[in-house]
Amino acid sequence: MASAPIPYQKIYERRLARAIQRAKSGLIRPTSTLARDFFNDVARAPHDRYNNDAWRSLPRRLLKLVTYLQDPSSYSNGSSGDICDVDEARRRLAAAVFAQAPPSFSDDFRYLFEALLNERQNQWKRVNNADDSMDVDDSELENGGDDDLLQQEDQLYQSLAILGWVSSSQLRRPFREALHSVTMGVIDELVAGEFEDEGVLDRVLQWKNAVLIPWAYKVVGSEAFVQDQWERQLEYAASDCFVHVRMKELFDLVTEYPDSLPAVRELSVALDRTGRLWYQQLANEWRNALMTRLLHPGAETSQIIEVYINTIKVLREMDPSGELLQVVTQPVRDYLKGRSDTIRCIITSLTDEENGGDLYEELRRQDAKPLEEAQLDEEDEEEPPTFDWEPPPSILKRRGVITGQVGRVTSSSRRAGDILSMLVGIYGSKDLFVNEYRIMLADKLLGNMEYDTDKEVHNLELLKLRFGEVSMRQCEVMIKDIDDSKRIHTNIHSTLAQSNPSVNDAPVVDAAIVSHIFWPALQREEYKNHPRLASRLDQFSTEYAKLKNPRRLVWMKQLGMVELEVEAYEKDEDGNLTSHVKEVSCTPAHATLLAHFEDKGEWTSEELSNKTEMPEEMVRKRLGFWVNQRVIQSKRSGEDMIYSLISVSEADANDQSFQHDDEDQQQAVSLGAHEEEEMKVYESYIFGMLSNLGQLPLERIHSMLKTFVAGSDHKYDKTPQQLAVFLQQLCKEDKLECSPDGLYTILKKRS
């Protein structure tokens, strides 16, 4: 006995039967047959874009579909009673065609639209005599096929309008893709590399009005053109492509500034027309360009600073809010902070008239404010307005271009062009810059043989306006020392000349007398001068003691410069005495070694070391200077080197005047001793902390030093890395000990 079928099985069987019936009727529908013929009526070459008839034959094949819709009798089936209107026939035809379409069908329409728009562009270019910068590569098009395509253009657009495909979703994607592809290509040819010319964006918009708008109007039709606001869409598309082309050239915009200022302003206009859509991508592209092309060991610090300054100017031109500047330049600030010579490069640029560039001009700005005041908001104006006064930008213009927020941008990024304060803000303290300038000033003053301080006084006064008079007090004393030294040595020379009128030799010692408390730690080396040099120095010291009693001079023997006339004598074959003279500038140590050869013709390095109390290795190195200048010759005798004066004939072979260039004497300031002296000041603070609080980690010691070490003379401005090096040095000296978990304590000595 068979069981009755389950109800849902009956429902399923009925639905399946209806689906099979619909499928069979669909196969014999005219629309399905027409769709199969539409795709079979083309010889397609696989994987070949231009050597096939698929997209070139579209106008002809579409005309067959239109012919079907224009004949009402063709889409009514009297036998089955399946009669429909033209709208239903259009829908069925579209469904049949796109249901049977191959995957490349959408690409065929894109290729067709690209070809038509490219030909429109070429026609417009020929008619308007466009320049070479607007050349479009049409090598992809078939030779001889474009004329036939253009003859079918109007019929193609009419066919698409009757079928209703462009205004619907079927061809929207290939049409927009073709529009974007051709627009991007034309704008790239027109815009790329053009930084200095004004009106580049206007030429892009003119091309849009002359080519894009008429072509899109014909393709989509007048009703859809107005309804879908295609004119606004095309203006947005042109601005969008303009922005994307410039995104590839962001680094060049910065390096070419200020010549690229017209391009920067036009990019800002294009970004405003696209809204805030591309600002985040623009910031990322800009960051990546700077990190890839600038922030690497091969770039000099001065170049990085120059690009950083240009980036500040460019981004302020584009974004008054400063948000874009803050996001883009953060990697540059971090990288500059990690370079050891950043502060020296900044100070050098500030004071170097020839190579200082923007920073040199920045220091001399008439509207510059002290760094403390530059930290305030730009709206905090103390000076009354003048006839040149302009109101601040609208709050809408100061809205963040990335977040759209108001008030999210720090005041430091809204300053009115104060680049120096931004550079100082990298480190967060101006004391580092003041100390570096103090070291550089010491080298310049001690290397100035003419006692000319006018340039340094001028720079110091400008720096005082920015960094404050208190910060520059020591530098002011240093310059005053040099000015006083000039007056003192003039008085001493006059006194010596009056006390010894019969002596033909004029005083030869000029001294820079410094107040060592206000100067950085200078190079020190102890050795014994030759008696003739020592007597001249003692004579100067005696007169100074009389003039400035009870003060006394302590000579920094390593520093200074001696100008010598080196004269060598030799008898020729006839017994006549010949001589050779050359002028040499060297250090006092070199002069001392050479002076000993007047007392004795030959010396070994060991003998000179014992005589001058210099290390033997240093004696050999300094005698090498005289050997290179062909004043002294060397020869080996066993394990010793014997040095002697060179003959006149050999000296004549290289008759020149020489300037001393010893690597060890390039700087008068001992940087190592200067840093060690600074760190020693903090040693008592560290011991006080550890005595009261016991064990402390590095971070806690660093923060407490920043809090408690305050004052104009000793202000803590070291990095955690510098503090860690100093603490390790104290551990090596058995003053501190560091536990495995990084805690420092005072080492308790065992009795």
Side-chain angles (χ1 to χ4, degrees):
M1 179 176 177
S3 60
I6 302 175
Y8 72 81
Q9 291 180 341
K10 294 181 179 180
I11 297 174
Y12 173 76
E13 290 174 357
R14 286 197 299 268
R15 289 180 178 178
L16 179 61
R18 284 198 299 267
I20 294 173
Q21 183 180 3
R22 284 197 301 269
K24 290 180 179 179
S25 64
L27 294 175
I28 61 176
R29 279 180 181 174
T31 54
S32 299
T33 304
L34 197 62
R36 286 194 299 271
D37 295 341
F38 181 83
F39 292 108
N40 293 333
D41 190 19
V42 58
R44 177 178 295 276
H47 309 295
D48 194 341
R49 173 177 174 179
Y50 290 108
N51 292 331
N52 63 69
D53 191 49
W55 63 273
R56 289 189 179 279
S57 62
L58 279 174
R60 173 177 54 81
R61 291 185 286 153
L62 289 174
L63 186 59
K64 294 181 181 180
L65 301 182
V66 171
T67 303
Y68 166 78
L69 290 178
Q70 290 178 341
D71 184 7
S73 62
S74 61
Y75 46 81
S76 62
N77 190 346
S79 60
S80 61
D82 186 11
I83 302 176
C84 61
D85 57 10
V86 65
D87 293 333
E88 179 65 16
R90 184 184 295 112
R91 185 188 64 80
R92 291 181 178 181
L93 179 61
V97 170
F98 284 95
Q100 301 183 41
S104 60
F105 184 55
S106 178
D107 292 334
D108 292 339
F109 272 99
R110 179 164 63 89
Y111 303 151
L112 177 63
F113 289 139
E114 285 183 5
L116 291 170
L117 183 54
N118 273 326
E119 188 58 33
R120 278 287 185 128
Q121 152 67 13
N122 294 334
Q123 284 182 344
W124 179 84
K125 186 171 55 179
R126 288 191 293 268
V127 171
N128 293 273
N129 296 320
D131 55 26
D132 295 337
S133 64
M134 294 190 65
D135 286 341
V136 176
D137 185 9
D138 55 358
S139 61
E140 297 177 337
L141 300 180
E142 283 281 5
N143 294 328
D146 295 338
D147 293 338
D148 296 337
L149 194 62
L150 289 175
Q151 291 176 2
Q152 304 174 33
E153 183 180 16
D154 292 337
Q155 182 62 50
L156 170 67
Y157 300 150
Q158 185 177 359
S159 299
L160 290 174
I162 294 174
L163 293 171
W165 287 1
V166 175
S167 58
S168 63
S169 60
Q170 284 88 348
L171 296 184
R172 185 176 301 168
R173 185 178 64 85
F175 174 66
R176 291 182 179 274
E177 287 179 351
L179 193 68
H180 177 79
S181 175
V182 176
T183 303
M184 180 64 76
V186 173
I187 293 180
D188 184 72
E189 293 290 334
L190 178 63
V191 173
E194 299 292 333
F195 299 143
E196 302 181 15
D197 296 338
E198 296 183 359
V200 175
L201 180 60
D202 292 338
R203 290 200 293 271
V204 169
L205 298 178
Q206 290 173 4
W207 174 83
K208 180 261 301 182
N209 294 332
V211 177
L212 284 186
I213 289 181
W215 182 75
Y217 185 87
K218 293 189 67 175
V219 174
V220 303
S222 58
E223 182 179 352
F225 188 86
V226 176
Q227 183 177 356
D228 295 338
Q229 298 181 337
W230 270 100
E231 188 167 353
R232 291 183 59 186
Q233 292 187 48
L234 293 176
E235 183 171 351
Y236 178 88
S239 301
D240 177 80
C241 292
F242 184 91
V243 170
H244 278 79
V245 171
R246 285 299 190 212
M247 278 188 183
K248 304 174 185 177
E249 305 173 321
L250 294 175
F251 188 80
D252 297 326
L253 285 177
V254 172
T255 56
E256 296 292 331
Y257 191 86
D259 294 336
S260 62
L261 182 58
V264 171
R265 289 174 174 170
E266 290 183 345
L267 175 59
S268 180
V269 172
L271 284 168
D272 289 341
R273 292 181 177 179
T274 59
R276 287 191 298 273
L277 180 63
W278 299 115
Y279 271 109
Q280 184 62 57
Q281 182 178 348
L282 180 77
N284 294 334
E285 292 287 341
W286 219 318
R287 283 169 62 102
N288 294 334
L290 291 175
M291 294 171 65
T292 303
R293 301 182 61 179
L294 183 67
L295 306 184
H296 55 81
E300 296 181 359
T301 304
S302 57
Q303 295 175 334
I304 298 176
I305 294 174
E306 182 180 356
V307 173
Y308 176 59
I309 293 173
N310 285 348
T311 304
I312 293 173
K313 295 180 178 179
V314 169
L315 292 177
R316 278 183 175 151
E317 190 72 35
M318 294 177 57
D319 173 27
S321 72
E323 188 176 46
L324 194 60
L325 171 64
Q326 195 171 3
V327 173
V328 171
T329 59
Q330 186 60 44
V332 184
R333 293 194 292 268
D334 295 339
Y335 188 81
L336 284 174
K337 190 174 182 179
R339 282 211 169 186
S340 58
D341 60 338
T342 299
I343 298 177
R344 177 166 286 263
C345 288
I346 293 173
I347 294 298
T348 301
S349 299
L350 284 173
T351 57
D352 189 354
E353 183 176 1
E354 296 181 0
N355 303 314
D358 293 334
L359 278 180
Y360 182 80
E361 299 299 329
E362 178 73 15
L363 187 63
R364 284 149 182 79
R365 284 179 49 191
Q366 298 296 326
D367 59 343
K369 297 180 180 180
L371 294 179
E372 290 83 357
E373 296 183 18
Q375 305 295 330
L376 301 177
D377 193 279
E378 62 181 357
E379 295 179 358
D380 298 334
E381 298 179 358
E382 298 180 358
E383 299 181 359
T386 63
F387 289 104
D388 298 329
W389 178 85
E390 294 182 1
S394 168
I395 192 172
L396 296 178
K397 291 188 176 181
R398 289 177 298 184
R399 186 183 297 273
V401 295
I402 297 177
T403 63
Q405 301 290 329
V406 178
R408 294 288 299 276
V409 185
T410 61
S411 61
S412 60
S413 60
R414 291 201 303 265
R415 294 173 207 147
D418 194 351
I419 295 174
L420 178 58
S421 62
M422 294 195 67
L423 290 171
V424 174
I426 293 176
Y427 293 88
S429 172
K430 66 180 181 180
D431 297 326
L432 295 172
F433 292 84
V434 173
N435 290 336
E436 186 64 33
Y437 174 71
R438 183 165 159 252
I439 294 173
M440 295 175 59
L441 179 63
D443 285 328
K444 290 181 180 180
L445 294 177
L446 295 180
N448 186 356
M449 299 293 105
E450 304 298 329
Y451 298 93
D452 184 8
T453 60
D454 292 342
K455 181 179 178 181
E456 304 307 328
V457 169
H458 179 66
N459 290 334
L460 179 61
E461 293 299 322
L462 293 173
L463 290 170
K464 285 164 62 176
L465 294 176
R466 304 305 304 275
F467 291 91
E469 292 192 12
V470 176
S471 300
M472 295 308 218
R473 184 182 302 163
Q474 291 180 322
C475 298
E476 197 170 7
V477 174
M478 292 164 60
I479 294 179
K480 184 177 182 298
D481 284 344
I482 299 301
D483 292 335
D484 292 343
S485 298
K486 183 177 182 180
R487 291 192 295 269
I488 290 172
H489 90 255
T490 301
N491 291 336
I492 292 177
H493 286 185
S494 176
T495 302
L496 291 176
Q498 293 176 3
S499 60
N500 299 302
S502 60
V503 179
N504 295 327
D505 292 338
V508 295
V509 177
D510 293 339
I513 304 169
V514 303
S515 306
H516 69 92
I517 296 178
F518 298 94
W519 286 65
L522 302 178
Q523 298 276 7
R524 284 181 177 272
E525 181 184 350
E526 292 299 329
Y527 64 88
K528 188 176 181 181
N529 278 317
H530 189 275
R532 279 191 293 276
L533 273 68
S535 63
R536 295 300 184 104
L537 296 177
D538 293 340
Q539 185 184 37
F540 190 92
S541 298
T542 302
E543 294 299 325
Y544 177 81
K546 296 177 182 178
L547 184 65
K548 293 290 185 177
N549 189 43
R551 298 181 182 177
R552 298 293 184 268
L553 289 180
V554 178
W555 293 100
M556 311 291 290
K557 298 180 181 180
Q558 176 70 5
L559 305 178
M561 187 67 63
V562 181
E563 296 180 357
L564 298 176
E565 286 187 358
V566 181
E567 186 172 7
Y569 295 93
E570 186 180 26
K571 290 185 179 180
D572 58 14
E573 297 178 354
D574 299 332
N576 297 325
L577 195 64
T578 60
S579 66
H580 172 77
V581 180
K582 66 171 64 176
E583 295 180 355
V584 183
S585 295
C586 61
T587 66
H590 288 86
T592 289
L593 290 175
L594 184 62
H596 283 287
F597 284 89
E598 293 183 299
D599 304 332
K600 181 180 174 181
E602 291 185 351
W603 292 85
T604 64
S605 58
E606 184 179 0
E607 291 173 343
L608 284 173
S609 177
N610 295 332
K611 198 74 173 177
T612 60
E613 299 179 0
M614 294 183 193
E616 188 173 350
E617 182 181 354
M618 189 61 66
V619 170
R620 290 197 191 99
K621 181 179 180 180
R622 285 169 175 160
L623 287 177
F625 166 78
W626 293 116
V627 172
N628 292 334
Q629 309 310 324
R630 304 184 66 83
V631 174
I632 290 176
Q633 60 185 354
S634 62
K635 61 182 179 180
R636 182 171 294 278
S637 176
E639 296 182 357
D640 296 332
M641 292 293 295
I642 299 178
Y643 298 90
S644 61
L645 291 174
I646 205 167
S647 64
V648 174
S649 58
E650 292 175 320
D652 286 338
N654 191 19
D655 186 11
Q656 296 180 7
S657 297
F658 297 96
Q659 183 72 28
H660 169 64
D661 186 18
D662 189 358
E663 294 180 359
D664 292 340
Q665 311 302 328
Q666 292 297 317
Q667 290 184 340
V669 178
S670 175
L671 298 181
H674 177 69
E675 185 173 352
E676 182 179 353
E677 181 180 322
E678 285 186 331
M679 296 303 294
K680 283 293 183 182
V681 175
Y682 312 128
E683 184 174 337
S684 60
Y685 288 93
I686 295 173
F687 275 91
M689 296 175 197
L690 298 178
S691 298
N692 296 325
L693 302 177
Q695 295 181 340
L696 290 176
L698 173 66
E699 294 77 9
R700 181 75 182 279
I701 297 175
H702 178 67
S703 61
M704 292 181 70
L705 286 174
K706 291 179 64 176
T707 303
F708 297 114
V709 182
S712 59
D713 295 332
H714 303 297
K715 186 174 182 180
Y716 182 74
D717 54 8
K718 304 303 178 184
T719 63
Q721 292 78 11
Q722 291 174 314
L723 178 60
V725 172
F726 178 63
L727 292 177
Q728 290 298 323
Q729 182 63 33
L730 293 179
C731 292
K732 292 179 181 180
E733 296 175 0
D734 292 333
K735 297 180 179 179
L736 300 179
E737 62 179 350
C738 182
S739 64
D741 54 356
L743 296 177
Y744 290 92
T745 57
I746 298 176
L747 180 63
K748 297 180 180 179
K749 296 183 180 180
R750 297 177 181 177
S751 56

